[in-house]
Amino acid sequence: MKQVPPDVANLLTAIAFAYDVGMTRHDDRFDIVTLVVRAREGDIDAFEALVDRYETKLLRFCLRTLGDRQDAEDVVQDTLVQAWKSMNALTEPAAFGTWIYRLASNKCTDLLRRRMARPSDAQDPDDMSIHADGRASVEKSVEARTALQHFSDVLQTLSSEQRVTWVLHQMEGLSYAEVATTLGISEGSVRGRIHRARTAIMEGMEGWM
């Protein structure tokens, strides 16, 4: 397998940092299972607590995958509405996190496929991240902003399946097994998609060292 040169790896790490965001704090008095059970019984407050825990994570994932803030926000809202309407379809309350990521992943994949039928608009690098207050951002430098824009362009050349899989693993930190469960595919398929995505990104970022 082709190894990632240290300078390329460092660049990708810096770009990933530019995408990063502080996680929303939440109330840990109730665990996920309790909240899901209550939400399935129609408890709106319980569902809102679930939204508090996952909305920022979903938005970050959708931003990284789609590269467009408005599209990402729309997908998140559609995902949350579908989740509320389909809570009874979730047979394992403890699997809520994987389940809601799958809903969002499916919507992102569908949107990416629809985009292929129309020209893609250039994205403002500022739309590719959520800024955390007080955190230094590598986007402050013109060089880093240019690299981030180029990385965004390269990411958009990946197939919808590769992009969703790569973002879940490389940027959201899910393991191969977790990505496989989320997308409903085998671990072998996950590894194959990530390898092809990584190779394409390395080739696309060649010269940005």
Side-chain angles (χ1 to χ4, degrees):
M1 184 177 295
K2 189 175 181 181
Q3 297 297 316
V4 181
D7 43 11
V8 174
N10 290 338
L11 175 61
L12 294 182
T13 299
I15 291 172
F17 175 77
Y19 275 40
D20 205 4
V21 62
M23 305 305 297
T24 301
R25 299 181 64 86
H26 57 258
D27 190 341
D28 289 321
R29 288 177 298 174
F30 302 113
D31 60 22
I32 294 297
V33 172
T34 300
L35 292 174
V36 170
V37 171
R38 293 187 177 185
R40 289 199 305 193
E41 294 173 347
D43 187 333
I44 296 179
D45 289 338
F47 184 73
E48 288 181 347
L50 290 170
V51 170
D52 287 342
R53 295 192 182 195
Y54 285 94
E55 187 173 24
T56 299
K57 297 178 184 179
L58 291 174
L59 180 57
R60 181 181 62 182
F61 164 67
C62 292
L63 274 169
R64 289 170 165 176
T65 303
L66 300 174
D68 181 90
R69 184 177 298 278
Q70 186 60 58
D71 283 347
E73 291 175 350
D74 290 345
V75 167
V76 170
Q77 291 305 308
D78 289 347
T79 297
L80 294 175
V81 169
Q82 182 181 356
W84 172 248
K85 293 180 177 179
S86 307
M87 288 297 291
N88 289 331
L90 179 60
T91 57
E92 295 293 336
F96 179 82
T98 299
W99 178 68
I100 202 166
Y101 260 109
R102 179 180 294 181
L103 296 181
S105 297
N106 289 341
K107 292 182 184 298
C108 285
T109 299
D110 290 342
L111 180 55
L112 290 171
R113 287 172 177 169
R114 292 198 299 272
R115 281 184 184 175
M116 295 178 65
R118 67 178 190 270
S120 59
D121 298 326
Q123 299 299 325
D124 185 337
D126 285 337
D127 288 337
M128 297 295 293
S129 64
I130 308 174
H131 296 284
D133 292 340
R135 169 174 284 185
S137 172
V138 294
E139 288 186 348
K140 290 181 179 178
S141 72
V142 174
E143 182 178 357
R145 287 173 62 88
T146 304
L148 179 59
Q149 177 63 65
H150 185 72
F151 177 76
S152 171
D153 293 340
V154 171
L155 199 61
Q156 291 183 46
T157 67
L158 303 179
S159 70
S160 55
E161 291 82 4
Q162 289 176 8
R163 195 190 310 189
V164 168
T165 305
W166 191 84
V167 170
L168 283 172
H169 174 66
Q170 191 69 26
M171 307 188 79
E172 293 300 306
L174 274 65
S175 66
Y176 289 118
E178 290 170 331
V179 174
T181 300
T182 298
L183 300 181
I185 59 179
S186 68
E187 285 191 46
S189 295
V190 171
R191 292 177 184 275
R193 289 183 185 181
I194 291 174
H195 174 64
R196 290 189 291 273
R198 183 179 291 118
T199 299
I201 291 172
M202 286 174 57
E203 292 175 350
M205 294 302 293
E206 188 173 358
W208 291 82
M209 299 178 180

